[in-house]
Amino acid sequence: MSNEGIDPARIPRHVACVMDGNGRWAQRRGLRRTDGHSAGEEALLDAVEGALELGIEWLTVYAFSTENWRRPADEVRFLMRFNENLLVRRRDELNEKGVRIRFIGRRDWKVPKRLIRRMDESVALTAENRRLTLTIAFNYGGRAEIIDGIKAMITSGVTADSIDESTLDKHLYDPEMPDVDLWIRTSGEFRTSNFLVWQSVYAELVFTETLWPDFRRRHLADAVAEYQRRDRRFGGLGTG
Ligand code: IPE
Ligand code: IPE
Ligand code: MG
């Protein structure tokens, strides 16, 4: 599938992706699970390139969940270091492409300070960019985000009577983030695993068998084409 079959007038504004299957990709090749995470870097950069080509404005990727702390300590340690190095290796190139880097997730909980510093530097470096917002969900959980949002509302003195959906929206990790239009998960797993729970209630879900390290811009284009074949009704009667 090339971008030719895609209607440029109906590009999803916000695409979210669960980058899953790194461990299985590696195991099938007789490699270590962590080699699968390393191989995922190329997939991410190619997906970003594809998002830029398609004119997607927001791309959010799940890099580390609040549940991923349950993994063996050496894999967790690898992922912390890997993500830190990835930012250092790639941020200039992303910056030159007009990508604004952001993070969502719990910052002040278990994440190494050095990684937090690299995150802050990358956000500051790319803050003025507007072509594509690449949000990396790190130490992220959808339920944790809702809990943290409720705490933030209470701390800022919001009264119960005044709360509606937009109030919570404004107290999530990134108040500017629009709802998800297209939600993708790789590796043939059919579950949400706590990703963007609040933002995805009316997202179109696309599941693919491709393991994350094999994911390329053409797979993103396939998912967008699938999205364009859907009839989004939002509880109404749609365009049928
Ligand atoms: C996704 O790949 C990356 C992270 C969760 C950090 P996995 O590591 O979950 O790969 P599988 O699902 O075990 O194959
Ligand atoms: C979801 O994948 C988290 C990330 C991709 C970062 P997991 O591999 O952790 O999800 P489960 O455990 O299979 O649900
Ligand atoms: Mg997995």
Side-chain angles (χ1 to χ4, degrees), residues 18-20 24 62-65 68 71 185 189 191 193:
V18 181
M19 309 186 287
D20 196 17
R24 279 163 285 166
Y62 208 2
F64 193 89
S65 75
N68 286 145
R71 297 195 176 193
R185 183 171 188 150
E189 303 288 356
R191 57 181 169 274
S193 300

Side-chain angles (χ1 to χ4, degrees), residues 207-236:
F207 296 91
T208 161
E209 292 292 326
T210 307
L211 301 174
W212 178 253
D214 292 327
F215 195 89
R216 291 294 179 272
R217 67 190 83 179
R218 70 175 182 282
H219 299 103
L220 178 65
D222 285 348
V224 170
E226 170 65 24
Y227 166 86
Q228 294 191 340
R229 287 191 289 272
R230 305 271 178 93
D231 183 20
R232 299 188 79 188
R233 291 192 284 273
F234 298 99

